[in-house]
Amino acid sequence: MSPATTSTQPVNVKLLLIGNSSVGKSSLLLRFSDEQWLPEDESSATIGVDFRVHKMDVKGKKVKLSIWDTAGQERFRTITSSYYRGAQGIILVYDVANRESFEALPRWYSELETYVSSSVVKILVGNKVDKEFSRQVPTAEAEKFAARMSSLFVETSAKTSVGVKEAFTEVVEQIMDTPELWENTSARGQGTAHGNGGVPGGVQVVGLMDEQKPGEGCAC
Amino acid sequence: MDEEYDVIVLGTGLTECILSGLLSVEGKKVLHMDRNDYYGGESASLNLTQLYRKFRPDQAPPADLGRDRDYAVDLVPKFIIASGELTKILVHTDVTRYLEFKQIAGSYVYREGRISKVPSTEMEAVRSPLMGLFEKRRAKKFFEFLQGWKDEDPTTHQGINLDEDSMKTVYEKFGLEAGTQDFIGHAMALYLDDDYITKPARPSYDRIVLYTSSMARYGKSPYIYPLYGLGELPQSFARLSAIYGGTYMLDKKIDAIVTDSDGKFVGVTSGGETVKAKQVIGDPSYFGANGGDGGKVRVVEEGKVVRAICFLKHPIPGTDDSDSCQIIIPQNQVNRRHDIYIAMVSSTHNVCAKGVYVAIVSTVVETDRPEQEIAAGLSLLGPIYDKFVDITPLYTPTSSGQADNIFITRSYDATSHFETVVEDVQDVWKRVVGSDLVLKKREVEVQN
Ligand SMILES: Cc1cc2nc3c(=O)[nH]c(=O)nc-3n(C[C@H](O)[C@H](O)[C@H](O)COP(=O)(O)OP(=O)(O)OC[C@H]3O[C@@H](n4cnc5c(N)ncnc54)[C@H](O)[C@@H]3O)c2cc1C
Ligand SMILES: Nc1nc2c(ncn2[C@@H]2O[C@H](COP(=O)(O)OP(=O)(O)O)[C@@H](O)[C@H]2O)c(=O)[nH]1
Ligand SMILES: [Mg+2]
């Protein structure tokens, strides 16, 4: 087994974005990781976003975040089950100015029940608060729902960047407060790459070392 | 759905997903649909509920098999050759970032009633009971010859011409016994029958070199296997496609393939709506394999494969309690024309609950009693907790598709690995795009 993470080794954390199409998941990711905002008419061109790597310090620990986007596969509810593998935190997004995106949340939670363990940290994010004039989901209602679903809650605007940093920071802080999620990554089975940004160009074969039994001839 | 696409892809099996991934990277506008509500088609990995729904619709999975979501049972048993063509595609498209692999722990071969490990090191080779002492010396000379072969250096050829001389000639030159030939041709070159022996030796040479270089890569067997099952492979290529703009729809019954008066492809009708595209690619089940598609049959059956998915509560006897293995029963050993394969994986691969082992026994069907044909394989497994037998026809398209823009892939064959799947991908690509598939490295995204 690998030794406990030392203070110089960053902790790898995998976050996922889910929620209905057009609620602003990709925009939140872009705002947080690249401090960018694409004008409304250009944002449909944000294909090609696989995941973003972001480094931060949380409570004295170095954290290497990889944040994965849906690749648009939420549009017809065809997100692959492999998308969920190894996630430690889930960001569920709805649009405060779109009631339907809020009503769809129970379905997203039930999808989570199927694919991720219950200890995974969840945060409910009400996005587009800059559209206050056309709000359809009251803050108090969403807050109550989040509490019922054992989720953190925050309202954001990817456009004005209100609350965006807080949303990501709060999930990561709670993950760091739940050592079972990251201390021994092999809790999930084996402990390497999934979602740690992968190593481009290589094949990750896990468990090569601990498989060699002593006394057995080695092929090298 | 009134957009028009470049390509509609039907079925989310591995072949189709690799193609839609590569086509999307190439800039094509792809719509990918499947009639099932899960990814993978014939090459899916199913959870218990899905598995029982498929094989025993009126029975619920027994509770003592454990949690539904711990299962990912492959429908088609295959392993990835570490240095093979699929690995190349995985690496070049960078879908490896979505996947983790484990080594398959051992490869075994059946000989005279018992199974022995295919040696993976020189030490194991020396100790192996598969050959006598003198035969080992002859085999060593044979492998040294293969290893030393250089096309441009005739002194390494020892009078052999790989492109003209048959494998029989090569075996005879080194005086190898029939049992050793079985071992080399079936457990290393992975031929399913003996037709290769009378053909030029070059492809056999290539396959043996592929086997040994793959074996050298990780040490225990030439195979790697994705955690959570083979169904992860099509899903990772589907994500690749989606990132490049591919649109995915599952749970879509396909009502009709629409053609114009010349028989050329126009579009696909689903749920009363017709989506148009320039070309369509799909697996045989969408083109008449099941008698569907308005009676228009565009595929022919080439034979059948029988596969028995077996749940065990113990590792396979005689495999040193391996958490995974391949066992090959060469045809000559059981008086058949085609080899019988066993592929076994377990909870180490996150495909079943702890203490459960999933073994799939398969072969090419030769008689009208297919289940009887795999008896020799089933008897090696010890007590079988439960068994699902599937007899699958293998379909191949009747035309290249260039005339009507309808391009059909092949069924997953009885081989133990994905090399023929990649050949099909390359073949369909050439028919669809008009030029050879050249793998380009995916641009690595900017990361801080
Ligand atoms: C048969 C073979 C065996 C090798 N064995 C080893 C080894 O044991 N140890 C080692 O350090 N290097 C090995 N290499 C070399 C190494 O994998 C690559 O050359 C290296 O990763 C450089 O990658 P690249 O991006 O420059 O080239 P690429 O163009 O990405 O790859 C070059 C070739 O190697 C294949 N390849 C690359 N990486 C892998 C991988 N991880 N698994 C399977 N195939 C891969 C590619 O498919 C391609 O055929 C081997 C290469 C080959 C072809
Ligand atoms: N006004 C406003 N528009 C937003 C905000 N976030 C995203 N959008 C817009 O909503 C649309 C969908 O955003 P996108 O990030 O693609 O959503 P996704 O489908 O959930 O990834 C785009 O036109 C964005 O510009 C926000 O905070 N405020
Ligand atoms: Mg998006």
Side-chain angles (χ1 to χ4, degrees), chain B residues 160-187:
Chain B
I160 295 281
N161 182 334
L162 286 182
D163 298 306
E164 282 170 18
D165 293 322
S166 69
M167 201 55 200
K168 187 169 192 292
T169 309
V170 179
Y171 283 147
E172 279 167 2
K173 177 181 168 60
F174 291 91
L176 296 178
E177 294 165 0
T180 310
Q181 296 182 19
D182 259 6
F183 167 76
I184 292 169
H186 294 263

Coordinates of all heavy atoms in Angstrom, one line a residue, chain B residues 160-187:
Chain B
I160 N 15.1 -19.4 -44.6 CA 13.7 -19.3 -44.6 C 13.2 -18.0 -45.3 O 13.9 -16.9 -45.1 CB 13.1 -19.3 -43.2 CG1 13.4 -20.7 -42.5 CG2 11.7 -18.9 -43.2 CD1 12.5 -21.8 -42.9
N161 N 12.2 -18.1 -46.1 CA 11.6 -16.9 -46.7 C 10.2 -16.8 -46.0 O 9.3 -17.5 -46.4 CB 11.5 -17.0 -48.2 CG 10.9 -15.7 -48.8 OD1 10.1 -15.0 -48.1 ND2 11.2 -15.5 -50.0
L162 N 10.0 -15.8 -45.1 CA 8.7 -15.7 -44.4 C 7.5 -15.5 -45.3 O 6.4 -15.9 -44.9 CB 8.8 -14.6 -43.3 CG 9.7 -14.8 -42.1 CD1 9.6 -13.6 -41.2 CD2 9.2 -16.1 -41.3
D163 N 7.8 -14.9 -46.4 CA 6.6 -14.5 -47.3 C 6.2 -15.7 -48.2 O 5.2 -15.7 -48.8 CB 6.9 -13.3 -48.1 CG 7.1 -12.1 -47.1 OD1 6.2 -11.8 -46.3 OD2 8.2 -11.5 -47.2
E164 N 7.1 -16.7 -48.3 CA 6.8 -17.8 -49.2 C 6.7 -19.1 -48.5 O 5.8 -19.9 -48.8 CB 7.9 -17.9 -50.3 CG 7.7 -16.8 -51.4 CD 8.8 -16.7 -52.4 OE1 9.6 -17.6 -52.5 OE2 8.8 -15.7 -53.1
D165 N 7.6 -19.4 -47.6 CA 7.6 -20.7 -46.9 C 6.4 -20.7 -46.0 O 6.1 -19.7 -45.3 CB 8.9 -20.9 -46.1 CG 10.1 -21.0 -47.1 OD1 9.9 -21.7 -48.1 OD2 11.2 -20.5 -46.8
S166 N 5.9 -21.9 -45.8 CA 4.7 -22.0 -44.9 C 5.2 -22.2 -43.5 O 6.4 -22.5 -43.3 CB 3.9 -23.2 -45.3 OG 4.6 -24.4 -45.0
M167 N 4.3 -22.0 -42.6 CA 4.7 -22.2 -41.2 C 5.1 -23.6 -40.9 O 5.9 -23.9 -40.1 CB 3.5 -21.8 -40.3 CG 3.8 -21.5 -38.9 SD 5.0 -20.2 -38.7 CE 5.6 -20.5 -37.0
K168 N 4.5 -24.5 -41.7 CA 4.8 -26.0 -41.6 C 6.3 -26.1 -41.9 O 7.0 -26.8 -41.1 CB 4.0 -26.7 -42.6 CG 4.1 -28.2 -42.6 CD 3.0 -28.8 -43.5 CE 2.8 -30.3 -43.4 NZ 3.9 -31.1 -43.8
T169 N 6.8 -25.5 -42.9 CA 8.2 -25.6 -43.3 C 9.1 -25.1 -42.1 O 10.1 -25.7 -41.8 CB 8.5 -24.7 -44.5 OG1 7.6 -25.0 -45.5 CG2 9.9 -24.9 -45.0
V170 N 8.6 -24.0 -41.5 CA 9.4 -23.4 -40.4 C 9.4 -24.4 -39.2 O 10.5 -24.7 -38.6 CB 8.9 -22.0 -39.9 CG1 9.7 -21.5 -38.8 CG2 8.8 -21.1 -41.1
Y171 N 8.3 -24.9 -38.8 CA 8.2 -25.9 -37.7 C 9.1 -27.1 -38.0 O 9.9 -27.5 -37.1 CB 6.8 -26.4 -37.6 CG 5.8 -25.5 -36.9 CD1 4.4 -25.5 -37.2 CD2 6.2 -24.6 -35.8 CE1 3.5 -24.6 -36.6 CE2 5.3 -23.8 -35.2 CZ 3.9 -23.8 -35.6 OH 3.0 -23.0 -35.0
E172 N 9.1 -27.5 -39.3 CA 9.9 -28.7 -39.6 C 11.4 -28.4 -39.5 O 12.2 -29.3 -39.1 CB 9.5 -29.3 -41.0 CG 8.2 -30.1 -40.9 CD 7.5 -30.4 -42.2 OE1 8.1 -30.0 -43.2 OE2 6.5 -31.1 -42.2
K173 N 11.7 -27.2 -40.0 CA 13.1 -26.9 -39.9 C 13.7 -27.0 -38.5 O 14.8 -27.4 -38.3 CB 13.3 -25.4 -40.4 CG 14.8 -25.0 -40.4 CD 14.9 -23.5 -40.9 CE 16.3 -23.0 -40.5 NZ 17.4 -23.8 -41.1
F174 N 12.9 -26.6 -37.5 CA 13.4 -26.7 -36.1 C 13.0 -28.0 -35.5 O 13.2 -28.2 -34.3 CB 12.9 -25.5 -35.4 CG 13.5 -24.2 -35.8 CD1 12.9 -23.4 -36.8 CD2 14.8 -23.8 -35.3 CE1 13.6 -22.3 -37.3 CE2 15.4 -22.7 -35.7 CZ 14.8 -21.9 -36.7
G175 N 12.3 -28.9 -36.2 CA 11.9 -30.2 -35.7 C 11.0 -30.2 -34.5 O 11.1 -31.0 -33.6
L176 N 10.0 -29.2 -34.5 CA 9.1 -29.1 -33.4 C 8.0 -30.1 -33.4 O 7.4 -30.3 -34.5 CB 8.5 -27.6 -33.4 CG 9.6 -26.5 -33.1 CD1 8.9 -25.2 -33.2 CD2 10.3 -26.7 -31.8
E177 N 7.7 -30.7 -32.3 CA 6.7 -31.7 -32.2 C 5.3 -31.1 -32.3 O 5.1 -29.9 -32.2 CB 6.7 -32.3 -30.8 CG 8.0 -33.1 -30.5 CD 8.2 -33.4 -29.0 OE1 7.3 -33.0 -28.2 OE2 9.2 -34.0 -28.7
A178 N 4.3 -32.0 -32.6 CA 3.0 -31.5 -32.9 C 2.4 -30.7 -31.6 O 1.8 -29.7 -31.8 CB 2.0 -32.7 -33.1
G179 N 2.7 -31.2 -30.4 CA 2.2 -30.5 -29.2 C 2.8 -29.1 -29.1 O 2.1 -28.2 -28.7
T180 N 4.0 -29.0 -29.5 CA 4.7 -27.7 -29.4 C 4.1 -26.7 -30.5 O 3.9 -25.6 -30.2 CB 6.2 -27.8 -29.6 OG1 6.7 -28.8 -28.8 CG2 6.9 -26.5 -29.4
Q181 N 3.8 -27.3 -31.6 CA 3.2 -26.5 -32.7 C 1.8 -26.0 -32.2 O 1.5 -24.9 -32.5 CB 3.0 -27.4 -34.0 CG 4.3 -27.8 -34.6 CD 4.1 -28.6 -35.9 OE1 3.1 -28.6 -36.5 NE2 5.2 -29.3 -36.3
D182 N 1.1 -26.9 -31.6 CA -0.2 -26.5 -31.0 C -0.1 -25.3 -30.1 O -0.8 -24.4 -30.1 CB -0.8 -27.7 -30.1 CG -1.8 -28.5 -30.9 OD1 -2.0 -28.2 -32.1 OD2 -2.4 -29.4 -30.2
F183 N 0.9 -25.5 -29.2 CA 1.1 -24.4 -28.2 C 1.5 -23.1 -28.9 O 0.9 -22.1 -28.6 CB 2.3 -24.9 -27.3 CG 2.9 -23.9 -26.4 CD1 2.2 -23.5 -25.3 CD2 4.1 -23.3 -26.7 CE1 2.7 -22.5 -24.5 CE2 4.6 -22.3 -26.0 CZ 3.9 -21.9 -24.8
I184 N 2.4 -23.2 -29.9 CA 2.9 -21.9 -30.5 C 1.7 -21.3 -31.4 O 1.5 -20.1 -31.3 CB 4.1 -22.2 -31.4 CG1 5.3 -22.5 -30.4 CG2 4.4 -21.0 -32.2 CD1 6.5 -23.1 -31.2
G185 N 1.1 -22.1 -32.1 CA 0.1 -21.6 -33.1 C -1.2 -21.2 -32.4 O -1.8 -20.2 -32.8
H186 N -1.5 -21.8 -31.2 CA -2.8 -21.5 -30.6 C -2.7 -20.7 -29.3 O -3.5 -19.8 -29.1 CB -3.6 -22.8 -30.3 CG -4.0 -23.5 -31.6 ND1 -5.2 -23.4 -32.1 CD2 -3.3 -24.2 -32.5 CE1 -5.3 -24.0 -33.3 NE2 -4.1 -24.6 -33.5
A187 N -1.6 -20.9 -28.5 CA -1.5 -20.2 -27.3 C -0.7 -18.9 -27.4 O -0.8 -18.0 -26.6 CB -0.9 -21.1 -26.2

